[in-house]
Amino acid sequence: MAIVTLRLSTVKACSESRPSQCPHCGNSVLQRWGGTYKPVRDTHIRAVIVYRYRCTECQRTFRHYPEGVSRADQSVRLIQLAAIGWTLGLSLRGMSAILSAFGIVLAHMTVWRDAQTIVMSLKPDLSQRKVRVLGVDGFYTRLKGKPLGVTLAVDLGSGQTIALAQIDESDTHAVTEWLQPLVEQLGVEVIVTDDLAALGVAVERVNCKRQICRFHALRWIGRTLRELRSQLDEDWQESIDEVQRIIHDLPPDGQRLLYMLWQRIPERRGPRNKQSTALYHLRQLALRLSEHWDEYAFFQSDPTVPATNNGTEQAILPWRLRSRSTRGFKSWAGLEAAFVLCGSAFA
């Protein structure tokens, strides 16, 4: 997972250097044109000196702020600190109350705007970005007290979250419509997902290769084989072992071996019983694995493609920890802000 480290900015009481050029015309010859005190809300400094400069070329004047200060009445450090507190699980009013104990008056809605400011600075610029391998996964949370499905896309090269959407990952049509512009804009070639069938259809519709997360695949295949082993007699235990061995080792001829196994297992005939039903499921499992072999073993032919979707899972993990400390979110903007900030490390 890509960790975006946001350090608390340094705040200076006055500028230690002159501006290098005029922000309006780029001229480097500037005259100092007076200065003034500017009150600021900060954890340590209450006022700073702001100098004004005049450009000798265009005759315009402008302010040159000290490090960590802008036109806002809050320092950059206080904005970051408010966002940190909210990210760690404090409510907006709770963060406001804590700051008031240190003599800093900050309304709860200002804390909210501070969090949004940091979120905007952390969002990736996709205009010139290229992502070859994209990880896609979903999770469930609550919005306004109701369950909500969320799907996210992660650049598995850098581990950075690219997009977040109010979409249930099992909704093939919605996922396809959401993925299509991302694939076209970013130049995505391979998408790594779990073994959900709906995601497989969506990946096919956007004309990308798919790698099924090996961890998810081994988990559900192993669980299925354990169930079949308890239902089938000794004659078919060796076939179950063969499937398990092929999926574990992923030999070059694995697709052919699974297809040959499917052919050896007899079709279901006559009345249904526990044995015939289990045998039918084993036959269908061998066929399914054979038909989708390339999606299970794609990483072997391309070393740049990860075998698992761990990068996407790691992007979700901080959110799961954060969501345990909150009663819920009232808006999608708040949920999205919390997710983005949870993926950042503050120092």
Side-chain angles (χ1 to χ4, degrees):
M1 177 181 64
I3 298 297
V4 181
T5 302
L6 178 62
R7 299 185 180 277
L8 289 179
S9 298
T10 301
V11 179
K12 299 292 181 64
C14 63
S15 299
E16 297 180 350
S17 61
R18 293 170 58 91
S20 59
Q21 62 182 19
C22 172
H24 305 294
C25 69
N27 178 44
S28 60
V29 182
L30 307 170
Q31 294 176 318
R32 182 178 289 182
W33 212 248
T36 184
Y37 280 96
K38 171 184 169 62
V40 294
R41 285 187 282 185
D42 182 65
T43 55
H44 294 83
I45 297 174
R46 293 294 177 260
V48 298
I49 300 176
V50 179
Y51 292 112
R52 182 177 289 277
Y53 288 85
R54 177 177 176 270
C55 176
T56 59
E57 180 68 27
C58 66
Q59 309 300 315
R60 299 176 71 174
T61 62
F62 61 92
R63 286 187 169 190
H64 182 57
Y65 294 97
E67 183 180 355
V69 179
S70 65
R71 293 180 59 186
D73 64 349
Q74 294 176 252
S75 67
V76 176
R77 177 165 56 196
L78 185 61
I79 293 174
Q80 294 169 342
L81 186 61
I84 290 172
W86 183 70
T87 304
L88 294 177
L90 290 171
S91 66
L92 298 176
R93 286 184 170 82
M95 190 63 212
S96 178
I98 288 177
L99 291 175
S100 67
F102 295 92
I104 303 172
V105 180
L106 209 63
H108 70 280
M109 285 309 299
T110 304
V111 176
W112 167 250
R113 286 190 291 270
D114 290 345
Q116 294 298 312
T117 299
I118 299 300
V119 167
M120 293 306 296
S121 70
L122 293 176
K123 281 190 174 180
D125 180 12
L126 305 182
S127 58
Q128 302 296 325
R129 187 162 186 164
K130 294 299 178 184
V131 177
R132 182 172 178 271
V133 183
L134 195 69
V136 174
D137 202 357
F139 62 92
Y140 290 92
T141 184
R142 300 188 73 82
L143 184 65
K144 295 182 179 179
K146 298 180 180 179
L148 175 70
V150 179
T151 303
L152 75 156
V154 174
D155 178 358
L156 293 182
S158 66
Q160 188 175 19
T161 300
I162 298 297
L164 198 68
Q166 301 180 61
I167 298 173
D168 191 315
E169 63 178 339
S170 62
D171 187 339
T172 301
H173 179 72
V175 172
T176 302
E177 288 194 334
W178 173 66
L179 275 179
Q180 190 67 61
L182 285 176
V183 169
E184 294 174 357
Q185 180 182 3
L186 301 174
V188 178
E189 299 177 15
V190 184
I191 298 179
V192 182
T193 73
D194 58 24
D195 50 343
L196 190 66
L199 289 177
V201 176
V203 172
E204 184 178 358
R205 288 179 179 177
V206 298
N207 297 316
C208 286
K209 299 291 185 180
R210 183 191 187 195
Q211 169 64 50
I212 296 177
C213 175
R214 185 150 171 76
F215 173 78
H216 286 85
L218 290 175
R219 184 173 61 180
W220 79 261
I221 294 171
R223 183 171 59 245
T224 302
L225 291 177
R226 284 194 298 271
E227 293 175 357
L228 293 176
R229 191 181 296 277
S230 64
Q231 297 169 6
L232 291 170
D233 56 31
E234 289 296 327
D235 294 340
W236 297 104
Q237 297 300 316
E238 186 176 342
S239 297
I240 294 175
D241 292 337
E242 184 178 357
V243 174
Q244 195 163 25
R245 183 171 58 254
I246 292 172
I247 291 301
H248 183 271
D249 297 340
L250 294 180
D253 59 344
Q255 184 175 23
R256 180 182 63 84
L257 294 175
L258 287 167
Y259 184 74
M260 291 174 59
L261 176 61
W262 172 77
Q263 290 180 315
R264 291 201 306 268
I265 302 175
E267 296 184 33
R268 182 168 57 188
R269 293 187 177 88
R272 295 185 180 182
N273 54 48
K274 185 177 181 180
Q275 176 80 5
S276 64
T277 300
L279 200 58
Y280 169 79
H281 288 157
L282 178 60
R283 190 171 192 266
Q284 292 302 109
L285 175 63
L287 180 61
R288 174 182 174 180
L289 297 177
S290 175
E291 290 179 338
H292 296 276
W293 179 259
D294 291 340
E295 297 179 353
Y296 292 108
F298 186 81
F299 73 96
Q300 289 185 323
S301 60
D302 189 341
T304 64
V305 176
T308 70
N309 204 16
N310 286 349
T312 311
E313 295 283 354
Q314 289 173 4
I316 299 175
L317 179 60
W319 159 259
R320 297 193 189 280
L321 299 176
R322 166 65 171 87
S323 61
R324 293 175 184 174
S325 63
T326 184
R327 292 175 296 177
F329 293 91
K330 298 179 181 178
S331 68
W332 170 252
L335 192 152
E336 185 179 26
F339 188 90
V340 173
L341 289 171
C342 285
S344 305
F346 297 93

